[in-house]
Amino acid sequence: MSNLLTISPSPHAKGKETVPSLMYGVLMALIPAFLFSLYFFGIGALVTTLVSVGFCVLFEWLIAKYILNTKPQVCDGSAILTGVLLAFNLPSNINPFIVMIGALVAIGVAKMSFGGLGQNLFNPALVGRVFLLISFPQQMTTWPLPIENRLNYLDAVTGATPMSHDMLGKTDTVDMLMGATGGSLGEVAAIALIIGGIYMIWRKIITWHIPVSIIGTVAVFTLLVWLIDPTVCVNPLYHLLGGGLMLGAIFMATDYVTSPMSSTGKIVYGIGIGLLTVIIRLWGSYPEGMSFAILLMNAVTPLINKKFKPTRFGEIKTK
Amino acid sequence: MDNVIVISVLILGGIAILAAVILYVIARKFKVEEDPRIDQVAECLPGANCGGCGYAGCRNFAEACVKDFNGKVCTAGGNDVMKKVADVLGVEAVAADAKIAVVRCRGSKDCRPKTSNYEGAPTCAIAAWTYGGETGCAFGCIGLGDCESVCQFGAIKVNHETGLPEVNDEKCTGCGACVKACPKIVIELRKKAPKFRKVFVSCVNKDKGAVAKKACSAACIGCGKCAKTCPFEAITVENNLAYIDFNKCKMCRKCVEACPTGAIKEENFPPRKPKEEAAPAPAKAPQTAAQSTPEKTSENK
Amino acid sequence: MGGVHPADKKITAAKPITPLAVPQTVAIPCAMHIGAPAEIIVQKGDKVKVGQLIAKATGFVSANIHSSVSGTVKNIGPVADASGYTKQAVYITVEGDEWDESIDRTPDLKRNIDDLKPEDIINKVHEAGIVGMGGATFPTRVKLMVPEGKKADAVLINAVECEPYLTADHRVMLEKGEQMLIGTQLLMKAVHCDRAYIGIEQNKPDAIDYLTKLSANYPGITVVPLKLKYPQGSEKHLIKAILGREVPPPPHLPIDVGAVVDNAGTAVAVYEAVMKNKPLIERVVTVTGDSVNNPGNFLVRIGTPISALIEAVGGMPDDTEKIISGGPMMGKAVNSLEIPVAKGTSGILMLPKSLAHRGEPAACIRCGKCVDACPMGLEPYLLSKLAKLKRFDDLEANHITDCISCGCCMFACPSNRPILDYMNFGKGKVLAIIKSRKK
């Protein structure tokens, strides 16, 4: 016998998915949205994304190597994903310096200080985004107008998001679906995000529970309010297609680390995000509530995991 | 204006007093009557919660001691601690034999050739559950360090050169946590002798001589030479394995010389002079001898 | 709910069962079943015939063991088996191939079961030492003795064979289909019920067609094609798929929902025991692997060393780094080629280097794939963590005892974490704690 036999407990077979394959799968799913943002925002989208990804990977590597003294795992793709998602949540004309701060907060504060991949309580990209939103409200809420600013970067002509109160209801829903509106670079084209979501569900990277429950809750809730009093709330379609809802529901809320484990838990989590988003949008002082809603529900995730267990085999309620 | 200040001071003060009263009442109502001696006893204990006494933690042990002191021993703290506890409780402490852990396996990487590669979860318990081990010996040390991870005192460490754990005699308190953690029951608690001297059969292989020897060159083959040599009848051979009763052993070390495979191990003795007599040599054991090294004993052969 | 889809790799599905030459010596372990080991009743130097009783069952959950060869008892001593530890075994030097006279070795089918009483069938099954041949090796007699106050209303024949690579049951169905159906009738009679279902996964269409045609002559027996999914062949999931009933959590057993489940190979063994008086002395073993020269299905005497099987398929490929007794999902890796084929050995699988190793474990990313994959509705990520921390009370509260060790959680884990290793360790400890509590 040339080789020593290897012994391990069963199973001896292994599925194909690995952490990098899952992370790169999500990145694949983000490609359509990225292409749309390149089309609408041009060079700004490219620069912002590259800067964000670059700094996220760099910070992860530095912190893992020199502060945590562990082997850096930047190849697993999670830092790249955080970088892309952070960029997708920023206006495309933002100063690269601000992006760097966002990346530092996302990776350094929200991820590595908890112990790295798998340990963080909050979605790193969202923590970075919310930090920037609070620190640089001016820069974070002036979005370049799409298409005509493709070749400009920092000096782009800006406009407001369709979600701000004075703009509500004035943008065409088809434009919102196709992404021809102002907004953060990755969140404008709902159709591209939906394509990415379908891809991820087809590849079994995510399950349908979280996106469907968020979108469903927002739809039902805004429809009810709209029917009762259209002055408080515009057409539900605006809420579904506008702002970061699609990006959040499909890519941010489904983040493995910070979302619940069981199917029922995922639905509860999704409904929570949907409700909080609408409440913040309609009655809060921010025009956009997705980020805050997801972060708030991230905090509740451990409790959801405790409360909503999967159904045990054989445990049928006796009638 | 004055009115506002007065009112707010009164209201806040009132709330404060009310809260204080509520807190006081609740504290009184839910007070747990506890023997104050429990705290005093607990303070005497090492506080490592090693579980060597058989109780979940030091405080549980303290409660048990207060209830009934007889027969309770803090293995980690030893006689000194039990004396203190006895003083607190106003009773007489009975001195117990101090114990120390020994690793009964000499199957280092050189002696025990590997026959397979283990690739499961890196704990001895799971490796032992999976199969006999990476070598031909299904009895000996696995070397994944379950003992090291349970030791609260940093007294047992796996030496990665040999793949075997080594006991730091100075630090070992004899709590027995490693004994419980070892799935192969390789570690044993033996009576602590002066200067940490130890003579023991460093093997637990119960296979027949030829099988054991094939798997490990340092295995006890159950030949019984040691038992015949021992002047104190301290050695018994059962299931192809010799065992030295530490209550009978006088540490004459004759068995060490008699053992053909070197399975009997002596530790912390001064180097032998040729033809040395049975009586232990005058104490000049170098401090470093506390670190047990297999090389040391092999030199002596 | 749950489950995974491993690549089925049934390389040997078209290879007919070939009898393997009787080896020169066999080592027959006396613990080849769940329960008390059998007590050896022969001595060194005794002459034995094929089919002669050599070890007697020692308790209710135990099984008789018969000599699989004729010859002289060479020795009674320890043999390492698939568990990696040694067990007592009877070593027999083979001389000729002389069978016990009472065994009917003719190939004729015996169909008439009308004269048999249920007790006779159960006694025969017990005498012949029949155990579950799917791998769990639970003594079949115990399953057939329906406890007081409970009633079996269906016999399920587990012909799912959901483990990748293995084709032993598949070939048995194709080559001994009629025997299997008569065996099924015997099982139905033994437990006093009049319907039986044969569950077969859809990746074996030839077996489904063949048995459906045959079963027309056997009233009460229905062939049920089942969805391709691992672990479809788990007893509990088979009952759910066929009868739509869920067996409640342990300590409940399939009989609590009126089901008796036996493996396809077991049904054939029951036929042979009852109608032909042949004890369980040989079984079909699939010997396979991705780089094996000539993989196949073999009829092997119990006690044959697996080295003889490996010889029969053209030797061990050079790149073999892991040998598994059983299938890749639940089989045991072995560290010696001298371990004997036992009653539960359904396959010998030689994995090449590329498949033999586990990946480097990485951090848990809490993706929940293990939760989605678990067919029992458990939370493997949590259980493995609790087991690592030795929090046995919490493990029990989170139903670790439900775990069927199917391996879906680890199969699904993208981080290569040894989830099931820790869970099995925890389950063992918790079961021991529960047992000690009863005393």
Side-chain angles (χ1 to χ4, degrees):
Chain A
M1 210 185 307
S2 51
N3 310 313
L4 289 184
L5 290 174
T6 302
I7 306 289
S8 70
S10 63
H12 310 286
K14 170 77 188 69
K16 286 192 190 69
E17 298 292 7
T18 60
V19 172
S21 81
L22 292 172
M23 295 293 171
Y24 292 121
V26 180
L27 286 172
M28 288 276 290
L30 284 166
I31 287 177
F34 184 58
L35 292 179
F36 268 79
S37 74
L38 279 184
Y39 174 73
F40 289 120
F41 301 118
I43 193 158
L46 186 66
V47 171
T48 306
T49 309
L50 287 180
V51 167
S52 171
V53 170
F55 277 113
C56 280
V57 172
L58 179 72
F59 285 132
E60 167 136 345
W61 188 82
L62 286 175
I63 292 172
K65 179 131 181 150
Y66 294 107
I67 297 182
L68 298 178
N69 291 323
T70 52
K71 202 170 139 243
Q73 306 268 352
V74 289
C75 293
D76 64 18
S78 64
I80 302 175
L81 183 58
T82 302
V84 173
L85 287 176
L86 176 65
F88 275 28
N89 274 298
L90 301 174
S92 58
N93 60 338
I94 197 158
N95 189 320
F97 186 68
I98 296 177
V99 180
M100 188 194 81
I101 294 174
L104 181 62
V105 172
I107 295 291
V109 177
K111 185 176 171 192
M112 300 312 272
S113 66
F114 284 87
L117 181 62
Q119 308 289 323
N120 48 304
L121 189 55
F122 297 103
N123 187 323
L126 278 180
V127 172
R129 189 242 158 127
V130 167
F131 181 84
L132 294 183
L133 185 64
I134 295 168
S135 311
F136 306 96
Q138 176 67 39
Q139 290 88 331
M140 286 291 288
T141 47
T142 43
W143 289 275
L145 293 170
I147 302 184
E148 54 256 47
N149 290 298
R150 253 183 270 171
L151 296 174
N152 304 324
Y153 174 34
L154 291 177
D155 53 351
V157 180
T158 57
T161 165
M163 296 315 291
S164 62
H165 287 283
D166 47 341
M167 287 286 286
L168 270 183
K170 291 185 191 143
T171 318
D172 186 20
T173 43
V174 178
D175 279 352
M176 292 176 77
L177 185 67
M178 300 310 295
T181 64
S184 298
L185 68 90
E187 68 184 25
V188 288
I191 186 91
L193 295 166
I194 292 170
I195 291 170
I198 290 170
Y199 169 76
M200 287 203 294
I201 292 173
W202 170 74
R203 250 202 71 185
K204 299 205 169 104
I205 295 174
I206 59 169
T207 57
W208 57 268
H209 303 85
I210 293 175
V212 169
S213 59
I214 293 178
I215 294 167
T217 309
V218 171
V220 171
F221 194 12
T222 48
L223 182 72
L224 282 179
V225 181
W226 182 56
L227 288 178
I228 295 168
D229 185 355
T231 58
V232 178
C233 174
V234 291
N235 186 334
L237 265 179
Y238 280 89
H239 278 283
L240 290 180
L241 300 175
L245 191 114
M246 285 295 165
L247 181 66
I250 297 170
F251 290 97
M252 312 292 276
T254 53
D255 171 43
Y256 285 144
V257 181
T258 53
S259 63
M261 295 287 202
S262 70
S263 307
T264 40
K266 284 174 183 165
I267 290 175
V268 171
Y269 170 81
I271 292 174
I273 292 175
L275 289 178
L276 285 172
T277 305
V278 178
I279 290 171
I280 295 171
R281 278 185 178 182
L282 296 187
W283 293 288
S285 57
Y286 282 97
E288 171 56 317
M290 199 65 200
S291 315
F292 292 102
I294 295 175
L295 286 177
L296 285 171
M297 289 310 286
N298 282 168
V300 188
T301 295
L303 284 178
I304 295 178
N305 277 336
K306 231 178 158 82
K307 186 71 198 164
F308 296 92
K309 302 267 178 190
T311 327
R312 186 184 180 196
F313 185 93
E315 202 169 58
I316 298 171
K317 283 102 223 145
T318 39
K319 282 163 202 165
Chain B
M1 268 318 259
D2 291 355
N3 232 356
V4 177
I5 295 171
V6 170
I7 288 171
S8 33
V9 166
L10 281 180
I11 289 176
L12 285 175
I15 293 173
I17 291 168
L18 189 69
V21 169
I22 292 171
L23 278 176
Y24 176 76
V25 170
I26 289 175
R28 283 308 290 252
K29 188 155 185 191
F30 293 100
K31 188 170 181 194
V32 181
E33 285 300 333
E34 197 179 49
D35 195 323
R37 290 181 302 168
I38 293 176
D39 279 330
Q40 290 168 0
V41 171
E43 260 171 42
C44 304
L45 300 172
N49 296 322
C50 67
C53 53
Y55 292 88
C58 289
R59 200 174 166 84
N60 305 66
F61 178 73
E63 280 169 21
C65 279
V66 170
K67 239 177 240 164
D68 178 18
F69 181 71
N70 284 339
K72 304 263 177 343
V73 180
C74 170
T75 39
N79 290 338
D80 295 346
V81 164
M82 288 318 289
K83 177 110 196 351
K84 277 190 217 156
V85 173
D87 288 346
V88 169
L89 299 174
V91 290
E92 198 68 32
V94 187
D97 285 339
K99 295 274 175 70
I100 194 159
V102 300
V103 179
R104 293 186 293 171
C105 180
R106 296 191 73 174
S108 61
K109 285 174 182 164
D110 307 333
C111 306
R112 269 196 306 177
K114 249 183 153 188
T115 55
S116 60
N117 280 318
Y118 175 69
E119 217 176 61
T123 78
C124 303
I126 290 169
W129 170 84
T130 310
Y131 74 131
E134 285 186 319
T135 67
C137 172
F139 297 89
C141 176
I142 294 173
L144 293 170
D146 280 14
C147 46
E148 182 176 328
S149 61
V150 294
C151 185
Q152 300 288 329
F153 307 98
I156 190 162
K157 291 243 155 64
V158 175
N159 179 336
H160 293 284
E161 300 275 298
T162 58
L164 297 172
E166 288 168 3
V167 179
N168 182 330
D169 299 318
E170 304 275 348
K171 287 185 182 168
C172 178
T173 60
C175 71
C178 52
V179 177
K180 280 184 211 149
C182 180
K184 298 279 194 181
I185 323 180
V186 166
I187 306 174
E188 185 196 12
L189 284 183
R190 292 177 74 88
K191 195 163 80 179
K192 204 185 229 166
K195 302 193 183 69
F196 305 118
R197 283 179 179 166
K198 303 170 185 171
V199 175
F200 59 97
V201 180
S202 190
C203 181
V204 287
N205 191 315
K206 290 178 182 161
D207 279 331
K208 282 190 179 149
V211 181
K213 182 85 205 235
K214 194 179 160 204
C216 173
S217 63
C220 170
I221 52 174
C223 65
K225 278 186 189 151
C226 49
K228 280 176 213 142
T229 321
C230 181
F232 310 104
E233 295 185 341
I235 304 182
T236 46
V237 179
E238 206 178 324
N239 293 327
N240 310 309
L241 180 64
Y243 178 76
I244 303 177
D245 183 342
F246 51 77
N247 287 319
K248 291 182 184 161
C249 176
K250 300 273 195 287
M251 306 240 169
C252 69
R253 297 192 281 160
K254 280 187 178 150
C255 51
V256 180
E257 285 167 347
C259 182
T261 62
I264 302 181
K265 192 172 179 184
E266 55 174 41
E267 275 181 20
N268 304 328
F269 286 92
R272 284 172 195 239
K273 289 170 215 134
K275 300 265 171 161
E276 196 198 28
E277 272 312 297
K284 241 195 160 181
Q287 201 59 34
T288 47
Q291 298 286 338
S292 59
T293 46
E295 296 88 74
K296 185 142 276 147
T297 38
S298 52
E299 277 164 24
N300 295 339
K301 271 191 281 184
Chain C
M1 174 168 60
V4 292
H5 298 92
D8 70 357
K9 297 200 177 175
K10 305 274 192 188
I11 306 168
T12 51
K15 299 277 178 97
I17 300 170
T18 340
L20 189 79
V22 182
Q24 285 172 346
T25 45
V26 293
I28 305 176
C30 60
M32 291 191 278
H33 47 259
I34 289 181
E39 188 190 334
I40 296 168
I41 56 165
V42 288
Q43 279 166 355
K44 192 173 169 177
D46 284 1
K47 293 268 174 207
V48 293
K49 287 181 191 167
V50 179
Q52 185 181 331
L53 189 67
I54 55 171
K56 251 174 106 166
T58 52
F60 182 62
V61 183
S62 186
N64 285 340
I65 289 166
H66 303 79
S67 175
S68 59
V69 293
S70 66
T72 315
V73 177
K74 186 174 91 179
N75 188 12
I76 290 169
V79 68
D81 69 0
S83 73
Y85 287 94
T86 53
K87 299 210 170 110
Q88 278 303 99
V90 180
Y91 286 84
I92 302 170
T93 311
V94 178
E95 294 149 5
D97 195 26
E98 192 187 337
W99 287 57
D100 198 280
E101 295 78 30
S102 59
I103 301 172
D104 176 3
R105 296 183 68 194
T106 58
D108 318 336
L109 274 179
K110 281 193 177 170
R111 285 208 176 82
N112 187 1
I113 66 161
D114 297 341
D115 304 337
L116 290 160
K117 286 203 280 293
E119 302 79 56
D120 299 338
I121 298 172
I122 294 174
N123 281 338
K124 270 282 183 209
V125 164
H126 177 52
E127 276 167 27
I130 293 177
V131 301
M133 287 167 75
T137 65
F138 191 76
T140 303
R141 171 180 77 138
V142 182
K143 276 191 192 172
L144 297 182
M145 293 172 79
V146 179
E148 201 81 31
K150 288 176 186 165
K151 201 187 156 337
D153 65 359
V155 169
L156 305 189
I157 299 299
N158 187 346
V160 175
E161 206 159 47
C162 57
E163 279 268 13
Y165 292 98
L166 301 188
T167 55
D169 286 349
H170 186 186
R171 291 313 303 178
V172 164
M173 282 188 280
L174 290 178
E175 296 177 35
K176 296 185 181 172
E178 198 110 10
Q179 286 94 320
M180 186 178 121
L181 291 170
I182 302 169
T184 309
Q185 279 188 315
L186 291 167
L187 290 169
M188 285 155 68
K189 192 155 191 180
V191 297
H192 304 277
C193 78
D194 52 11
R195 53 187 187 133
Y197 300 92
I198 300 175
I200 309 177
E201 251 184 3
Q202 276 160 350
N203 59 353
K204 299 182 256 295
D206 48 351
I208 296 174
D209 290 349
Y210 178 62
L211 287 176
T212 311
K213 221 181 298 155
L214 281 185
S215 63
N217 305 328
Y218 295 87
I221 303 182
T222 322
V223 175
V224 188
L226 294 171
K227 237 183 16 198
L228 211 58
K229 190 175 214 180
Y230 178 87
Q232 193 66 273
S234 135
E235 199 167 59
K236 291 179 174 177
H237 295 92
L238 187 71
I239 295 171
K240 186 166 182 207
I242 293 180
L243 299 178
R245 302 173 194 161
E246 281 192 21
V247 181
H252 288 278
L253 296 170
I255 191 67
D256 292 319
V257 292
V260 172
V261 185
D262 278 300
N263 177 264
T266 315
V268 175
V270 167
Y271 162 80
E272 289 179 340
V274 179
M275 308 305 285
K276 312 282 256 185
N277 208 29
K278 181 182 154 198
L280 184 54
I281 53 155
E282 52 189 6
R283 66 156 297 142
V284 180
V285 182
T286 304
V287 186
T288 182
D290 296 80
S291 46
V292 171
N293 284 339
N294 188 19
N297 301 292
F298 298 93
L299 186 65
V300 187
R301 302 284 173 95
I302 303 294
T304 307
I306 62 168
S307 54
L309 290 161
I310 294 172
E311 211 61 41
V313 295
M316 189 162 70
D318 287 337
D319 59 353
T320 302
E321 296 215 346
K322 196 183 231 177
I323 298 181
I324 295 160
S325 163
M329 294 302 286
M330 287 188 76
K332 297 216 67 159
V334 299
N335 61 349
S336 152
L337 300 185
E338 295 315 305
I339 67 162
V341 168
K343 289 178 179 176
T345 309
S346 46
I348 298 296
L349 170 60
M350 283 164 270
L351 288 180
K353 191 174 180 188
S354 56
L355 295 172
H357 299 284
R358 290 182 172 184
E360 196 62 31
C364 172
I365 56 166
R366 307 169 55 76
C367 61
K369 293 210 178 288
C370 54
V371 180
D372 291 339
C374 181
M376 300 307 291
L378 302 174
E379 294 164 290
Y381 76 99
L382 178 69
L383 294 171
S384 66
K385 209 178 281 174
L386 290 173
K388 196 172 180 180
L389 297 171
K390 305 206 171 109
R391 284 166 58 179
F392 299 123
D393 292 346
D394 291 332
L395 276 176
E396 194 183 346
N398 283 291
H399 314 303
I400 183 113
T401 50
D402 287 11
C403 171
I404 57 170
S405 303
C406 63
C408 289
C409 46
M410 264 176 85
F411 183 87
C413 180
S415 289
N416 300 314
R417 296 184 67 74
I419 306 174
L420 188 62
D421 298 7
Y422 284 109
M423 284 175 72
N424 276 324
F425 161 72
K427 184 168 71 169
K429 289 276 178 191
V430 169
L431 286 175
I433 291 169
I434 292 173
K435 207 169 167 189
S436 70
R437 211 180 284 151
K438 276 184 193 146
K439 276 177 192 161

